Amino acid sequence: MTDQHPAPLALWPAIDELFSRLEATQTAQPGREALLLRILKLSEEAGEVAEAVIGATGQNPRKGVTHTWDDVQAELCDVVITALVALRTLTPEPREVFERHLRGVRERPLRPSV
């Protein structure tokens, strides 16, 4: 028996598809408000990461261990996806914007120059 792995998912087409699906179902807030709410969704997702870390480490004495590190990984993925969809909402060229920014981040020194 061999391990069957699904074909790799192309990141940017998947983000574009998620963006299109969200746009097609957008009914509550039009325009700028929808954009702001989509960006605010990042805070919600980051909070879910924090909740999962607290749950994985059992730091809430009333609840104990409620999450796994797999849950933390999934929540981090949700943050990344939400951020990329928000970026796609701001620009039709999210890949170019992201890669340009990533290049700049990679070129930053890790330590302050002395």
Side-chain angles (χ1 to χ4, degrees):
M1 180 185 275
T2 61
D3 286 332
Q4 293 288 331
H5 295 287
L9 187 61
L11 177 63
W12 295 107
I15 294 301
D16 206 40
E17 176 191 341
L18 290 170
F19 165 77
S20 295
R21 287 170 47 193
L22 281 171
E23 290 294 300
T25 61
Q26 188 72 31
T27 57
Q29 286 10 27
R32 187 174 179 96
E33 262 186 64
L35 169 64
L36 296 174
L37 291 171
R38 196 163 292 168
I39 293 170
L40 285 175
K41 179 78 171 147
L42 276 169
S43 294
E44 178 187 359
E45 295 297 342
E48 290 176 11
V49 171
E51 181 181 3
V53 169
I54 290 167
T57 58
Q59 293 303 301
N60 184 331
R62 290 183 303 106
K63 296 180 180 178
V65 175
T66 58
H67 291 74
T68 67
W69 289 104
D70 286 345
D71 295 327
V72 175
Q73 290 175 16
E75 296 300 346
L76 286 169
C77 289
D78 286 348
V79 168
V80 171
I81 292 165
T82 302
L84 292 177
V85 170
L87 180 61
R88 172 58 186 90
T89 303
L90 284 171
T91 176
E93 303 297 334
R95 179 180 186 158
E96 291 78 5
V97 170
F98 181 80
E99 289 179 0
R100 181 174 55 247
H101 187 77
L102 182 59
R103 277 191 293 280
V105 170
R106 287 181 65 204
E107 292 170 3
R108 292 181 195 158
L110 292 177
R111 301 174 210 209
S113 53
V114 184

